[in-house]
Amino acid sequence: MPTTPSPDPDHDRGLAADLEALASQRRRGALRWLGGAGALALTGAGGLALLGGCGGGGSDEASTAGSSSSSSTTTTSGNGTTCAAIPEETAGPYPGDGSNNANGSLANALALSGIVRQDIRSSIAGATGTATGVPLAVTLRLVDSDASCADLAGYAVYLWHCDALGRYSMYSSGVTGENYLRGVQVSDSAGELSFVTVFPGCYPGRMPHIHFEVYRDANTATSWSNKLLTSQLALPVAACEAVYATGGYPGSTANLAALSFASDNVFSDGVTLQLAELSGNPADGYVATLQVGF
């Protein structure tokens, strides 16, 4: 199991306050889509796991991907179940985790009041934009790949991805003042956590994907320097094609047609451990699931 990192002594205390405010809420309560047809509901965290997303950097992200590691380890539990560690990947140029600047100032969504949230479709902390697109529910199950897939409770995940136009909030032209499609959740006793978001678009040069970082707990999820893992999740091609055919994702159909997992600069060495399982349809929304071993 990953070791606990040394906390940043200067980390923002707003996140801890957010966690306390949410402590009385149970993630296993009903999750319902807001304002969408089809009322896709998650009646509990059980069985629903992760997502995929979009990049947003095009050639910029491609230039950083080469420094990432794609190695993984595999163990076998007592009942014969294979438990593998998800590959480490680049965070790309738009993490918003305090590791770089955006438009002349440090970009750290983790320092924002309200960043601990399940529904990440709207901006927070004074920003008012809302990302539109086909609804997507994302649930990740965190497990210890060195201990027969034991559930990892109390870990925090910071998740972010691009919008339907392939833009990253905080960085991309037109949305530099927004911080939507970014949020933090903490795993429950079953190692599960959930997000409510929208299906990401596909920009030139990258297969649709979502970025995430894992932290030991919410109190350390305040700066990239405390992260235990950085990886990316992929979305099945058939679901991407169906979503992009709805018309709300201009350019994504053509971009996707020019790509493949084999040519992608991150997923070309194998995507099995990062490819989410999806259920649903464009009209009602999708549920994406993935086990994250580390």
Side-chain angles (χ1 to χ4, degrees):
M1 180 166 56
T3 58
T4 302
S6 300
D8 179 355
D10 297 319
H11 74 267
D12 182 85
R13 301 305 299 174
L15 190 60
D18 288 336
L19 183 62
E20 291 175 7
L22 293 174
S24 62
Q25 299 179 5
R26 293 296 301 272
R27 190 175 302 102
R28 291 184 177 237
L31 269 180
R32 297 195 176 277
W33 296 109
L34 305 179
L40 180 62
L42 302 183
T43 57
L48 302 182
L50 160 73
L51 111 97
C54 141
S59 59
D60 289 336
E61 186 165 359
S63 68
T64 64
S67 63
S68 66
S69 169
S70 295
S71 62
S72 63
T73 59
T74 303
T75 60
T76 303
S77 66
N79 61 9
T81 301
T82 298
C83 184
I86 195 167
E88 180 86 15
E89 304 289 7
T90 176
Y94 310 119
D97 59 2
S99 61
N100 65 10
N101 289 347
N103 305 296
S105 60
L106 186 67
N108 189 5
L110 296 173
L112 296 174
S113 177
I115 194 63
V116 179
R117 58 195 184 133
Q118 196 167 62
D119 190 334
I120 63 174
R121 292 174 292 182
S122 295
S123 292
I124 54 176
T128 59
T130 297
T132 60
V134 171
L136 179 67
V138 179
T139 300
L140 307 179
R141 180 182 175 224
L142 307 183
V143 300
D144 189 344
S145 59
D146 291 327
S148 302
C149 286
D151 299 328
L152 293 176
Y155 284 71
V157 168
Y158 167 47
L159 179 146
W160 73 97
H161 63 85
C162 69
D163 63 15
L165 300 183
R167 305 173 303 180
Y168 277 110
S169 66
M170 304 174 70
Y171 295 85
S172 301
S173 177
V175 292
T176 56
E178 304 298 343
N179 48 58
Y180 56 53
L181 305 183
R182 298 176 184 274
V184 172
Q185 280 286 274
V186 177
S187 60
D188 62 15
S189 60
E192 295 175 349
L193 52 89
S194 300
F195 293 92
V196 174
T197 186
V198 297
F199 207 100
C202 180
Y203 66 90
R206 282 301 316 275
M207 290 293 286
H209 64 280
I210 187 169
H211 296 268
F212 68 93
E213 295 172 346
V214 179
Y215 293 80
R216 181 57 190 87
D217 52 35
N219 289 325
T220 57
T222 57
S223 169
W224 66 278
S225 60
N226 297 325
K227 65 184 179 181
L228 303 175
L229 169 74
T230 304
S231 195
Q232 297 181 25
L233 283 299
L235 291 167
V237 173
C240 294
E241 292 174 337
V243 169
Y244 301 156
T246 63
Y249 292 77
S252 287
T253 295
N255 291 337
L256 181 64
L259 300 169
S260 69
F261 287 127
S263 65
D264 186 83
N265 59 60
V266 171
F267 299 132
S268 59
D269 57 353
V271 74
T272 302
L273 297 176
Q274 295 165 281
L275 187 62
E277 293 185 8
L278 261 67
S279 61
N281 58 71
D284 298 326
Y286 287 87
V287 172
T289 67
L290 191 75
Q291 176 173 286
V292 177
F294 67 103

